[in-house]
Amino acid sequence: MTMPISSPDTPRLDRSVKGLDGAPEWPAIQQILPTMRDLRAVDLGCGYGWFCRWARDQGAAQITGLDLSQRMLERAREMTRRRRHRVPPRRFTGPQPTANSCDLVYSSLTLHYLPDIAPLAGPTSTRH
């Protein structure tokens, strides 16, 4: 038997319901993230925008969420408006961000969708 995606009986992932707290890897990721205060960050594959809202709550100066899925972005915008964040996620339309336009690029559960990740691994610098 196949269930339609929109079925209320469809199992929900903890990360979709609880956000970052439902992601088993989140405590380990938090250990390696820098202090977000005043950082300019990009979330590639932002989904529902959980990381975007968390980064803003942690004091990020700017957070940009990008995703290919219009449906995910609509949900992220709705959730972001309810939290009164100023920068809603937007549709990913091409190679972004430009050089030196951000201090941190975050991406969770997205790289396996890309046919080639080499373009993402350009020259990097470490912020001190």
Side-chain angles (χ1 to χ4, degrees):
M1 177 180 143
T2 357
M3 279 191 277
I5 291 176
S6 60
S7 168
D9 298 325
T10 302
R12 303 187 114 209
L13 292 174
D14 267 359
R15 72 178 64 246
S16 295
V17 177
K18 299 176 185 172
L20 298 175
D21 292 333
E25 71 277 9
W26 181 238
I29 290 173
Q30 282 183 291
Q31 295 289 318
I32 61 172
L33 283 171
T35 301
M36 297 301 296
R37 179 147 309 282
D38 299 326
L39 289 185
R40 298 166 299 156
V42 173
D43 182 0
L44 295 178
C46 65
Y48 289 166
W50 296 106
F51 180 79
C52 293
R53 290 185 297 278
W54 177 85
R56 178 65 72 186
D57 290 345
Q58 299 301 307
Q62 176 184 337
I63 177 72
T64 303
L66 301 171
D67 205 289
L68 291 173
S69 168
Q70 191 61 41
R71 193 164 129 192
M72 294 288 250
L73 288 169
E74 287 168 9
R75 180 78 172 122
R77 284 185 190 106
E78 175 188 316
M79 295 170 81
T80 300
R81 273 193 301 270
R82 283 189 291 183
R83 296 269 311 267
R84 295 190 179 102
H85 286 273
R86 292 177 281 155
V87 183
R90 66 179 192 238
R91 187 165 174 84
F92 180 74
T93 56
Q96 296 172 7
T98 58
N100 299 315
S101 66
C102 66
D103 304 303
L104 174 79
V105 176
Y106 177 84
S107 186
S108 176
L109 302 175
T110 55
L111 296 182
H112 60 283
Y113 288 109
L114 300 176
D116 181 16
I117 64 169
L120 293 177
T124 61
S125 64
T126 304
R127 179 179 173 156
H128 296 286

